[in-house]
Amino acid sequence: MSQEEYKNEDERIKARLKQKSWNEIRSNDSWAIFKIMSEFVNGFESMARIGPSVSIFGSARTKPDDKYYLLAEKIAEKIAKAGYGVITGGGPGIMEAGNKGAHHGGGPSIGLNIELPFEQHYNPYIDRDKNLNFDYFFVRKVMFVKYSQGFVVMPGGFGTLDELFEAITLIQTKKIAKFPIILVGREFWTGLMDWIEQTVINKYENASPNDLKLIKIVDTEDEVLDVIDSFYKKYNLSPNF
């Protein structure tokens, strides 16, 4: 039974708890491997053609007249004009603002879309050949971190926090290179960063003070580009131009 065929959440939970026969497992779970594999192959082949890019994360619920939507659009346009591609989750809100700015800036505008029961639909500012669709969150997340050379995190909800901490964890554990992580909006992020420093690090010692050095908090599009450009100059790299 597919997700859309469940009548309600109770039915879905009961189905997950039901003891499956070996034939059911083999016919459903095992064959899903090929669908997962196809998403990885398509993602790798499509994303490998794109040059240095920056991922922009943020809420799908942000309205077009919100100050953070307008700021994300300016950030993405500036990033694109500097020669970088822009990768978003492909949906509305901050994602749309990111793709819109990249489109206006003349740079690659990539959308990694996913089917969700609410919020998600692809926005019209993604390049026609760079709109990828995924069924699996974990495949989509691999594409974000494998093909991004920087992460710009706008205000958002649980999905945005998940993407932020995924990037921090992978850099902290040296699974990916130490690319810049930029939090935009001091009024939004300062409370979280204070809690991490005072509670997670100082009180419980569950992380290292050095981990905070991975993160920059800014308020403007110029600050975002300064962080990204400084990183590239430090390693004598250049973007797409």
Side-chain angles (χ1 to χ4, degrees):
M1 181 179 287
S2 63
Q3 178 176 319
E4 59 271 14
E5 290 174 321
Y6 293 119
K7 295 178 181 177
N8 52 53
E9 190 64 21
D10 289 345
E11 186 177 281
R12 186 180 183 186
I13 291 170
K14 289 175 182 177
R16 293 292 295 172
L17 294 174
K18 177 186 173 184
Q19 185 67 39
K20 294 181 180 179
S21 68
W22 170 244
N23 285 334
E24 287 178 305
I25 294 173
R26 186 173 59 182
S27 62
N28 294 323
D29 296 356
S30 298
W31 282 101
I33 292 172
F34 295 99
K35 170 62 176 171
I36 294 167
M37 188 187 307
S38 71
E39 289 201 357
F40 273 121
V41 171
N42 182 55
F44 289 156
E45 290 186 346
S46 299
M47 298 296 290
R49 300 188 185 100
I50 302 167
S53 298
V54 175
S55 284
I56 297 180
F57 301 132
S59 177
R61 306 185 189 199
T62 305
K63 304 301 181 187
D65 59 351
D66 185 276
K67 67 177 183 179
Y68 285 117
Y69 181 106
L70 299 173
L71 181 54
E73 186 179 341
K74 290 178 183 177
I75 289 169
E77 183 171 354
K78 203 143 194 145
I79 288 172
K81 285 181 176 178
Y84 307 93
V86 172
I87 304 172
T88 81
I94 293 296
M95 296 174 281
E96 178 182 282
N99 289 125
K100 186 177 181 181
H103 180 73
H104 290 160
S109 180
I110 305 105
L112 308 182
N113 221 304
I114 191 163
E115 284 288 327
L116 295 178
F118 53 90
E119 294 180 2
Q120 189 79 358
H121 56 80
Y122 71 87
N123 68 70
Y125 300 102
I126 304 167
D127 293 344
R128 184 175 299 178
D129 60 339
K130 297 179 179 67
N131 184 19
L132 281 69
N133 290 289
F134 297 90
D135 286 328
Y136 298 96
F137 261 114
F138 62 90
V139 179
R140 179 178 181 245
K141 287 168 77 173
V142 168
M143 301 305 149
F144 272 123
V145 299
K146 182 174 176 61
Y147 293 102
S148 295
Q149 285 82 46
F151 304 94
V152 175
V153 191
M154 307 295 297
F158 292 126
T160 302
L161 293 173
D162 176 52
E163 290 159 339
L164 166 63
F165 285 113
E166 174 89 3
I168 293 172
T169 301
L170 290 171
I171 292 174
Q172 177 201 46
T173 55
K174 303 185 187 303
K175 295 299 182 182
I176 62 174
K178 192 185 289 185
F179 294 121
I181 298 174
I182 308 164
L183 307 185
V184 180
R186 284 184 173 88
E187 65 177 3
F188 185 89
W189 294 109
T190 297
L192 175 62
M193 290 296 101
D194 287 346
W195 174 78
I196 291 174
E197 182 176 12
Q198 295 166 15
T199 303
V200 176
I201 295 176
N202 294 340
K203 185 175 181 179
Y204 290 97
E205 299 182 349
N206 287 333
S208 166
N210 287 330
D211 294 335
L212 289 181
K213 295 178 181 178
L214 301 172
I215 305 164
K216 302 288 186 183
I217 305 180
V218 305
D219 280 319
T220 69
E221 63 270 26
D222 289 335
E223 289 176 294
V224 171
L225 197 62
D226 284 346
V227 173
I228 295 171
D229 280 345
S230 294
F231 168 82
Y232 270 76
K233 288 175 183 175
K234 178 180 178 181
Y235 293 100
N236 197 29
L237 300 172
S238 61
N240 295 320
F241 291 157

